[in-house]
Amino acid sequence: MMAGGLEFEKPLVELRNKIDELRKFAEDRGFDFSEEIARLEAQYRQLENEMYSTLTAAQKMHIARHHQRPTTLDFIQAIFTDFLELHGDRLFADDLAVVGGLAKLNGLPVTVIGHQRGKDTKDNIARFFGSPHPEGFRKALRLMRQADKFGRPIITFIDTKGAYPGDTAEERGQSEAIARNLLVMSTLRVPIVCVVIGEGGSGGALALGVGNRVLMLENAIYSVISPNGAASILWKDASRADEAAEAMKITAQDLHAFGIVEEVIPEPKGGAHRDPEGQAALVKEAVWRHLQELMAMSPEELVEDRYRKFRSIGVFASDGPDAPPEPSRGSGEPEAEDGRDEPEAAGNAPEAGAADGSVADASAEGESAAIESNAR
């Protein structure tokens, strides 16, 4: 039986159970069911290929959140050697939702940092389910500044639904801690490679995500807010998270198409938890390859490369000479005597979107000044 099967994987689980039962029955009774077992195995492989080649965003979200999915510490243990974990932010406390320290990658000294979810209920509570407090971000910042001082490349693993949203985090400056990480990471003079290994949610993810290269596992997700949070805001119903996930363009494939991530690292069928060692080997190869490219750059080039990466994200409209012409005014609307459009009197202009035109425009004073200036 498939351990930890998800809801949409039930047909596979049932078919695998049927194959195992038939094989056990044949062994116990001495019957030859090899042809029937082979037929079912072929059916299983076909169903598996069809299912995992057409995963929806919501299904990928559930795989990214799978309780057996490898965590940051799992990847650190499998990829790096001589890992020495460092604790505390030197200001308040040690946040267990963020882990980090010194390690070697193929003999190269690096600093590695990442979000850490728990392995069981007790561990999850201690680590706040991978949602950091300000001291977690400040611990990460301390380690990144240390790496910059000694010229060590930085590798981060992103796996959080978002920063911890409670009162205690807000009291200790959650927003400032995230913002300062964004500011400092953008100016560090060492290579930074970020890997989204599970769920990358909101500022909690971005606080470790300002890198020269951002990589994502095939079934990872990355978004400005968790689908649960988006559903709570849009529909006042967090249970509609699957619906929100479909609309938010959160998959690795979507983000690669947008230019937000540089590479999508493949996963075994069913997710990284099916073959953690094989998955770690793929991550190690990708990180090392990108790191070698970045290490050929000077410190100034690394900062400029990071700046260009984030400035190039998105599509912008321009009002320059190449911009499309403004729509022509309807023939029934009068123009001013000097050829310019006559603006409507500011005092009578309805607010945009007002159904009955009874609400005055909030910018009436500015428009009035503009009209007087044009008249002069």
Side-chain angles (χ1 to χ4, degrees):
M1 180 177 178
M2 293 167 55
L6 299 169
E7 184 68 25
F8 70 89
E9 295 176 313
K10 277 187 176 180
L12 276 178
V13 174
E14 293 171 357
L15 185 54
R16 173 52 60 190
N17 289 342
K18 184 176 181 180
I19 294 171
D20 293 342
E21 289 172 3
L22 185 59
R23 183 177 284 114
K24 187 176 186 303
F25 181 80
E27 292 174 355
D28 292 344
R29 300 299 179 91
F31 296 148
D32 183 11
F33 288 136
S34 56
E35 291 186 5
E36 179 69 14
I37 292 173
R39 184 182 65 80
L40 291 175
E41 288 283 7
Q43 184 180 345
Y44 180 89
R45 288 192 296 270
Q46 180 181 357
L47 179 59
E48 184 181 48
N49 288 332
E50 291 175 355
M51 178 176 293
Y52 293 122
S53 63
T54 58
L55 290 172
T56 66
Q59 289 169 341
K60 290 186 177 185
M61 175 184 71
H62 292 296
I63 293 177
R65 293 175 174 178
H66 199 285
H67 67 279
Q68 294 178 339
R69 192 171 178 86
T71 65
T72 291
L73 286 176
D74 293 327
F75 281 111
I76 289 176
Q77 183 177 7
I79 294 174
F80 303 92
T81 58
D82 301 319
F83 175 62
L84 175 63
E85 185 174 358
L86 301 178
H87 299 271
D89 66 343
R90 302 298 187 266
L91 293 170
F92 182 77
D94 183 36
D95 187 351
L96 299 181
V98 174
V99 297
L102 313 179
K104 289 183 179 179
L105 176 61
N106 292 335
L108 174 71
V110 297
T111 291
V112 57
I113 306 165
H115 303 98
Q116 179 63 31
R117 295 179 290 107
K119 290 288 191 178
D120 52 37
T121 301
K122 182 179 179 180
D123 196 20
N124 263 318
I125 292 173
R127 297 185 184 276
F128 297 99
F129 294 84
S131 294
H133 280 69
E135 51 269 25
F137 297 123
R138 289 171 181 143
K139 174 168 68 173
L141 182 61
R142 179 175 73 85
L143 298 182
M144 288 188 283
R145 280 175 164 157
Q146 182 192 79
D148 189 53
K149 177 179 179 179
F150 292 101
R152 289 192 299 266
I154 299 170
I155 300 163
T156 69
F157 292 101
I158 296 170
D159 187 15
T160 181
K161 292 183 180 180
Y164 187 75
D167 292 346
T168 53
E170 296 299 332
E171 289 168 356
R172 296 199 290 273
Q174 186 74 288
S175 305
E176 189 277 341
I178 293 173
R180 188 164 298 278
N181 276 30
L182 305 185
L183 173 65
V184 174
M185 287 189 79
S186 66
T187 62
L188 295 176
R189 296 162 59 84
V190 294
I192 305 176
V193 178
C194 309
V195 188
V196 184
I197 59 175
E199 181 172 8
S202 192
L206 195 58
L208 298 185
V210 184
N212 297 90
R213 301 290 182 269
V214 179
L215 319 179
M216 282 185 72
L217 299 194
E218 181 181 356
N219 295 316
I221 61 174
Y222 198 16
S223 58
V224 298
I225 188 174
S226 71
N228 304 71
S232 297
I233 293 172
L234 293 174
W235 304 301
K236 311 300 182 186
D237 184 1
S239 66
R240 297 175 67 178
D242 286 6
E243 187 177 346
E246 296 296 339
M248 291 171 63
K249 302 296 183 183
I250 60 177
T251 68
Q253 295 73 21
D254 290 329
L255 298 171
H256 185 261
F258 293 151
I260 296 172
V261 303
E262 278 69 36
E263 181 176 343
V264 177
I265 302 173
E267 294 188 30
K269 286 187 178 70
H273 58 282
R274 297 289 182 83
D275 184 10
E277 292 183 2
Q279 186 66 75
L282 292 175
V283 172
K284 181 178 181 178
E285 186 279 329
V287 169
W288 181 246
R289 175 163 32 85
H290 286 280
L291 202 55
Q292 285 181 306
E293 295 175 5
L294 295 171
M295 289 174 62
M297 299 182 185
S298 68
E300 293 76 16
E301 289 172 333
L302 287 169
V303 175
E304 179 64 22
D305 174 79
R306 209 174 301 133
Y307 173 82
R308 285 198 306 266
K309 168 186 168 54
F310 285 92
R311 287 292 293 172
S312 67
I313 294 174
V315 179
F316 301 89
S318 171
D319 60 355
D322 298 329
E326 290 290 331
S328 59
R329 181 184 289 275
S331 58
E333 300 181 32
E335 292 188 355
E337 292 180 358
D338 61 357
R340 293 192 298 269
D341 292 347
E342 184 70 25
E344 187 174 7
N348 298 325
E351 182 180 15
D356 57 1
S358 60
V359 182
D361 190 340
S363 61
E365 183 176 348
E367 290 185 2
S368 178
I371 293 170
E372 292 177 6
S373 176
N374 286 336
R376 289 195 295 269

